[in-house]
Amino acid sequence: MPVSKKLSDIPLSVLDLATVVEGDTVSGAFRRAVAGAQSAERLGCTRYWFAEHHNMESVASAATSVLIGHVAGQTNSIRVGAGGVMLPNHAPLVIAEQFGTLEALYPGRIDLGLGRAPGTDPLTSAALRRSLQGGDDFPNDVVELLRFLDVPEPSARVRAIPGEGTQVPVWLLGSSTYSAQLAAMLGLPFGFASHFAPTYLHEALALYKARFQPSKYLQEPYALACVSVIAAESDEEAQHLATSYYELVLGLIRNKRRPLAPPTEDMSAQWTPAEEAAVRQFAHYSFVGSPSTVAEGLSGFVAETGVDELMVTAHVYDLAARTRSLELIAPLFKTQPIH
């Protein structure tokens, strides 16, 4: 059984997809991302991560390392990173050079989370010039990337410059048990994507902690889980805001992707009963409501999973409402607000 923890025992971090909202532009999404990171920093959050996705009209974080550099340059102390880079899309040397550059520009503030999925559909995967082996090479690619970020061997003929010796913290991220086992074997921190893939959460965390091997990177297992949180002054207001998120997920299910829409008054007119069930399964670990409602749900989640850190994502159309959501939950956690 996981060690029971309280919200006040653990750090709070944020996952952002640089969401494009209906009626706005990609440039607007980047301005929202900067504002979101600055708010998270002010509220004392630990990390602000961006995820690599491609060919999605609502997601502008495809060039993840570029966006990380932009946001890190407009914040001062919060860690900024990838949650994650989809490593099968890239040569490990390229990622080592990119994140080595970021670490040189913003020392001690860069995280590199790695995923083994393409972050897109098969046709787009092919356009990204991915290897036909796909995720099968993931363990070897992770080891190669770690080697490029380490102090180089004197005989090394290929070196990451910049990158070598920076030892940028590397995380393995997943939505199944695969990366949990690999993270345990390599002694790396692990993050689970429970905000969209709830099924294997408990099994993955249990495997990671049971099989963890201490390494030069980490002496004890360190697990993070990401969940969706939309908080507002009342349960009713939060549920109204969440309809934008439900419509976004519904679009994924129907394979009709589009920018994040404004909230709607009546979701019953938007989906069939089967679609509603599918959306709610996707959003199983979504916590929507007033501060007390969200606190109760998150407290249960943390006590149940024993995670060392919680990362939240919020698909909220209005930037002020999204900022307010984070303001309402940050005091529940082990945060250090900037006054």
Side-chain angles (χ1 to χ4, degrees), residues 123-137:
L123 281 175
T124 309
S125 295
L128 286 164
R129 308 292 196 272
R130 292 181 60 238
S131 162
L132 292 177
Q133 286 84 2
D136 293 343
D137 291 336

PDB file of all heavy atoms in Angstrom, residues 123-137:
ATOM      1  N   LEU A 123      -0.107   8.875 -39.991  1.00  0.00           N
ATOM      2  CA  LEU A 123       0.324   9.647 -41.152  1.00  0.00           C
ATOM      3  C   LEU A 123       1.287  10.760 -40.761  1.00  0.00           C
ATOM      4  O   LEU A 123       2.296  10.998 -41.426  1.00  0.00           O
ATOM      5  CB  LEU A 123      -0.890  10.253 -41.872  1.00  0.00           C
ATOM      6  CG  LEU A 123      -1.686   9.306 -42.777  1.00  0.00           C
ATOM      7  CD1 LEU A 123      -2.915  10.022 -43.320  1.00  0.00           C
ATOM      8  CD2 LEU A 123      -0.814   8.796 -43.924  1.00  0.00           C
ATOM      9  N   THR A 124       0.982  11.428 -39.649  1.00  0.00           N
ATOM     10  CA  THR A 124       1.875  12.492 -39.184  1.00  0.00           C
ATOM     11  C   THR A 124       3.188  11.909 -38.686  1.00  0.00           C
ATOM     12  O   THR A 124       4.251  12.509 -38.862  1.00  0.00           O
ATOM     13  CB  THR A 124       1.188  13.317 -38.080  1.00  0.00           C
ATOM     14  OG1 THR A 124      -0.103  13.725 -38.543  1.00  0.00           O
ATOM     15  CG2 THR A 124       2.007  14.544 -37.733  1.00  0.00           C
ATOM     16  N   SER A 125       3.122  10.739 -38.071  1.00  0.00           N
ATOM     17  CA  SER A 125       4.346  10.053 -37.654  1.00  0.00           C
ATOM     18  C   SER A 125       5.269   9.835 -38.838  1.00  0.00           C
ATOM     19  O   SER A 125       6.481  10.067 -38.766  1.00  0.00           O
ATOM     20  CB  SER A 125       4.015   8.704 -37.012  1.00  0.00           C
ATOM     21  OG  SER A 125       3.296   8.863 -35.833  1.00  0.00           O
ATOM     22  N   ALA A 126       4.695   9.398 -39.949  1.00  0.00           N
ATOM     23  CA  ALA A 126       5.502   9.178 -41.145  1.00  0.00           C
ATOM     24  C   ALA A 126       6.100  10.488 -41.656  1.00  0.00           C
ATOM     25  O   ALA A 126       7.246  10.536 -42.089  1.00  0.00           O
ATOM     26  CB  ALA A 126       4.648   8.521 -42.226  1.00  0.00           C
ATOM     27  N   ALA A 127       5.308  11.565 -41.565  1.00  0.00           N
ATOM     28  CA  ALA A 127       5.804  12.868 -42.009  1.00  0.00           C
ATOM     29  C   ALA A 127       6.933  13.388 -41.124  1.00  0.00           C
ATOM     30  O   ALA A 127       7.756  14.193 -41.560  1.00  0.00           O
ATOM     31  CB  ALA A 127       4.657  13.882 -42.031  1.00  0.00           C
ATOM     32  N   LEU A 128       6.961  12.916 -39.870  1.00  0.00           N
ATOM     33  CA  LEU A 128       8.029  13.306 -38.958  1.00  0.00           C
ATOM     34  C   LEU A 128       9.311  12.513 -39.208  1.00  0.00           C
ATOM     35  O   LEU A 128      10.297  12.688 -38.497  1.00  0.00           O
ATOM     36  CB  LEU A 128       7.579  13.087 -37.504  1.00  0.00           C
ATOM     37  CG  LEU A 128       6.574  14.099 -36.961  1.00  0.00           C
ATOM     38  CD1 LEU A 128       5.921  13.582 -35.686  1.00  0.00           C
ATOM     39  CD2 LEU A 128       7.242  15.440 -36.710  1.00  0.00           C
ATOM     40  N   ARG A 129       9.291  11.621 -40.174  1.00  0.00           N
ATOM     41  CA  ARG A 129      10.448  10.803 -40.547  1.00  0.00           C
ATOM     42  C   ARG A 129      10.863   9.865 -39.419  1.00  0.00           C
ATOM     43  O   ARG A 129      12.036   9.623 -39.182  1.00  0.00           O
ATOM     44  CB  ARG A 129      11.646  11.676 -40.944  1.00  0.00           C
ATOM     45  CG  ARG A 129      11.364  12.721 -41.991  1.00  0.00           C
ATOM     46  CD  ARG A 129      11.070  12.071 -43.357  1.00  0.00           C
ATOM     47  NE  ARG A 129      11.168  13.036 -44.439  1.00  0.00           N
ATOM     48  CZ  ARG A 129      10.157  13.793 -44.850  1.00  0.00           C
ATOM     49  NH1 ARG A 129       8.997  13.704 -44.253  1.00  0.00           N
ATOM     50  NH2 ARG A 129      10.322  14.618 -45.852  1.00  0.00           N
ATOM     51  N   ARG A 130       9.859   9.327 -38.732  1.00  0.00           N
ATOM     52  CA  ARG A 130      10.185   8.416 -37.642  1.00  0.00           C
ATOM     53  C   ARG A 130      10.693   7.090 -38.182  1.00  0.00           C
ATOM     54  O   ARG A 130      10.319   6.628 -39.248  1.00  0.00           O
ATOM     55  CB  ARG A 130       8.948   8.154 -36.767  1.00  0.00           C
ATOM     56  CG  ARG A 130       8.485   9.357 -35.989  1.00  0.00           C
ATOM     57  CD  ARG A 130       7.282   9.012 -35.136  1.00  0.00           C
ATOM     58  NE  ARG A 130       7.608   7.962 -34.199  1.00  0.00           N
ATOM     59  CZ  ARG A 130       6.956   6.794 -34.133  1.00  0.00           C
ATOM     60  NH1 ARG A 130       5.963   6.544 -34.934  1.00  0.00           N
ATOM     61  NH2 ARG A 130       7.312   5.888 -33.250  1.00  0.00           N
ATOM     62  N   SER A 131      11.550   6.419 -37.363  1.00  0.00           N
ATOM     63  CA  SER A 131      11.997   5.073 -37.674  1.00  0.00           C
ATOM     64  C   SER A 131      10.805   4.128 -37.687  1.00  0.00           C
ATOM     65  O   SER A 131       9.866   4.283 -36.908  1.00  0.00           O
ATOM     66  CB  SER A 131      13.004   4.605 -36.619  1.00  0.00           C
ATOM     67  OG  SER A 131      13.134   3.212 -36.644  1.00  0.00           O
ATOM     68  N   LEU A 132      10.850   3.127 -38.543  1.00  0.00           N
ATOM     69  CA  LEU A 132       9.767   2.159 -38.603  1.00  0.00           C
ATOM     70  C   LEU A 132       9.656   1.346 -37.323  1.00  0.00           C
ATOM     71  O   LEU A 132       8.618   0.801 -37.003  1.00  0.00           O
ATOM     72  CB  LEU A 132       9.968   1.217 -39.798  1.00  0.00           C
ATOM     73  CG  LEU A 132       9.812   1.861 -41.179  1.00  0.00           C
ATOM     74  CD1 LEU A 132      10.106   0.845 -42.270  1.00  0.00           C
ATOM     75  CD2 LEU A 132       8.405   2.421 -41.359  1.00  0.00           C
ATOM     76  N   GLN A 133      10.770   1.270 -36.555  1.00  0.00           N
ATOM     77  CA  GLN A 133      10.734   0.530 -35.295  1.00  0.00           C
ATOM     78  C   GLN A 133       9.923   1.254 -34.227  1.00  0.00           C
ATOM     79  O   GLN A 133       9.457   0.646 -33.283  1.00  0.00           O
ATOM     80  CB  GLN A 133      12.156   0.300 -34.757  1.00  0.00           C
ATOM     81  CG  GLN A 133      12.938  -0.759 -35.523  1.00  0.00           C
ATOM     82  CD  GLN A 133      13.603  -0.176 -36.752  1.00  0.00           C
ATOM     83  OE1 GLN A 133      13.520   1.020 -37.010  1.00  0.00           O
ATOM     84  NE2 GLN A 133      14.277  -1.023 -37.525  1.00  0.00           N
ATOM     85  N   GLY A 134       9.784   2.562 -34.369  1.00  0.00           N
ATOM     86  CA  GLY A 134       8.995   3.337 -33.407  1.00  0.00           C
ATOM     87  C   GLY A 134       9.508   3.177 -31.995  1.00  0.00           C
ATOM     88  O   GLY A 134      10.686   3.313 -31.705  1.00  0.00           O
ATOM     89  N   GLY A 135       8.563   2.853 -31.064  1.00  0.00           N
ATOM     90  CA  GLY A 135       8.903   2.776 -29.651  1.00  0.00           C
ATOM     91  C   GLY A 135       9.769   1.598 -29.274  1.00  0.00           C
ATOM     92  O   GLY A 135      10.252   1.521 -28.143  1.00  0.00           O
ATOM     93  N   ASP A 136      10.015   0.664 -30.208  1.00  0.00           N
ATOM     94  CA  ASP A 136      10.823  -0.506 -29.869  1.00  0.00           C
ATOM     95  C   ASP A 136      12.248  -0.126 -29.511  1.00  0.00           C
ATOM     96  O   ASP A 136      12.934  -0.850 -28.790  1.00  0.00           O
ATOM     97  CB  ASP A 136      10.836  -1.502 -31.040  1.00  0.00           C
ATOM     98  CG  ASP A 136       9.458  -2.115 -31.293  1.00  0.00           C
ATOM     99  OD1 ASP A 136       8.607  -2.016 -30.382  1.00  0.00           O
ATOM    100  OD2 ASP A 136       9.241  -2.661 -32.378  1.00  0.00           O
ATOM    101  N   ASP A 137      12.740   0.979 -30.044  1.00  0.00           N
ATOM    102  CA  ASP A 137      14.101   1.426 -29.768  1.00  0.00           C
ATOM    103  C   ASP A 137      14.181   2.342 -28.550  1.00  0.00           C
ATOM    104  O   ASP A 137      15.259   2.835 -28.221  1.00  0.00           O
ATOM    105  CB  ASP A 137      14.665   2.180 -30.982  1.00  0.00           C
ATOM    106  CG  ASP A 137      14.911   1.260 -32.167  1.00  0.00           C
ATOM    107  OD1 ASP A 137      15.098   0.051 -31.945  1.00  0.00           O
ATOM    108  OD2 ASP A 137      14.903   1.753 -33.308  1.00  0.00           O
TER     109      ASP A 137
END
